[in-house]
């Protein structure tokens, strides 16, 4: 099975925690280290809490284990930041750190995965959010991701980039019954719109 097919199966069938985080406060980076003498190949993971959630069972680790059979020396560099939005990715260091890594390891990065945008709009599914919240947040997300992808492609033109979509984290509220079911179902159109926008951007 190809790498793209593995990612597609994860997205379609919900393998792994492909959900937006609702973490509040300052996003926290995960520590990582790379042997300065290492020549790769490298797998660069970027995003929010999804590449970090569940520790060694997070999807970058699972993909690394699978593809180390094909690329025995493949090393994971996970720069994801829990609680990250597309704006904080651009402004708080993850994006600049990714570009610096790619430029320092030209032609040594085998692949890049990215999931970002869920935290941009997750608050818009909460009761009391303004009707314009989702449209405004999605527009900002699209502009930011366009900038991020352009920068990644420029820094590593030969490295494929695989983007992740999201499942709807509010659907679990349906189990509470009553009004919660109506509220949960009402978030589906926005989740579909978010994933359509991400698919278009990554496509």
């Amino acid at each position: 099975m190809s790498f793209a097919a593995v990612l597609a199966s994860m997205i379609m069938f919900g393998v792994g925690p492909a959900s937006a985080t609702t973490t509040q406060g300052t996003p926290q980076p995960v520590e990582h280290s790379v042997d300065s003498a290492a020549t790769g190949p490298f797998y660069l993971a970027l995003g929010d809490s999804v590449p970090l959630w569940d520790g060694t069972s997070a999807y970058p680790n699972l993909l690394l284990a699978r593809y180390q059979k094909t690329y025995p020396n493949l090393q994971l560099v996970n720069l994801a930041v829990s609680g990250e939005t597309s704006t904080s990715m651009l402004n708080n260091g993850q994006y600049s750190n990714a570009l610096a890594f790619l430029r320092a390891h030209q032609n040594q990065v085998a692949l890049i995965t990215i999931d970002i945008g869920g935290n941009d709009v997750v608050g818009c599914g909460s009761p009391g959010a303004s009707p314009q919240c989702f449209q405004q947040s999605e527009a900002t997300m699209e502009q930011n991701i366009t900038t991020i992808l352009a920068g990644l492609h420029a820094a590593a033109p030969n490295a494929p980039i695989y983007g992740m979509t999201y499942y709807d984290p509010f659907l679990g509220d349906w189990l509470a019954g009553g009004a919660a079911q109506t509220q949960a179902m009402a978030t589906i159109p926005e989740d579909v719109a978010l994933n359509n926008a991400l698919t278009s951007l990554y496509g």
Side-chain angles (χ1 to χ4, degrees):
M1 181 181 292
S2 68
F3 184 80
V6 172
L7 281 185
S9 66
M10 291 173 63
I11 293 168
M12 291 175 63
F13 300 112
V15 177
S19 64
T21 179
T22 56
T23 301
Q24 301 298 314
T26 304
Q28 297 297 315
V30 62
E31 294 296 327
H32 71 282
S33 62
V34 176
D35 183 348
S36 59
T39 59
F42 298 105
Y43 161 21
L44 179 62
L46 305 173
D48 48 32
S49 64
V50 181
L52 305 174
W53 189 86
D54 207 20
T56 57
S57 294
Y59 78 82
N61 301 81
L62 301 180
L63 291 173
L64 176 69
R66 178 182 179 86
Y67 281 90
Q68 279 179 331
K69 298 173 184 177
T70 305
Y71 305 101
N73 297 319
L74 187 65
Q75 300 176 61
L76 171 63
V77 178
N78 193 339
L79 298 182
V81 177
S82 183
E84 198 84 292
T85 66
S86 63
T87 298
S88 66
M89 176 180 275
L90 274 174
N91 298 331
N92 292 354
Q94 183 177 172
Y95 175 63
S96 60
N97 289 339
L99 295 185
F101 180 83
L102 293 172
R103 290 165 181 156
H105 298 87
Q106 289 289 322
N107 299 315
Q108 296 176 334
V109 176
L111 61 112
I112 302 167
T113 58
I114 180 172
D115 56 80
I116 196 69
N119 289 324
D120 291 61
V121 301
V122 69
C124 299
S126 302
S130 71
Q132 296 77 32
C133 177
F134 184 85
Q135 288 77 13
Q136 293 170 348
S137 298
E138 184 182 35
T140 299
M141 178 202 74
E142 291 181 0
Q143 181 177 6
N144 289 340
I145 292 179
T146 298
T147 299
I148 290 167
L149 293 177
L152 295 176
H153 279 300
N158 297 320
I161 300 174
Y162 298 93
M164 178 72 78
T165 57
Y166 292 87
Y167 72 70
D168 188 337
F170 292 100
L171 285 182
D173 295 340
W174 186 88
L175 297 173
Q181 291 188 344
T182 301
Q183 293 170 358
M185 297 298 287
T187 65
I188 292 177
E190 291 183 347
D191 186 62
V192 171
L194 170 64
N195 287 332
N196 285 342
L198 290 171
T199 299
S200 178
L201 288 165
Y202 294 138

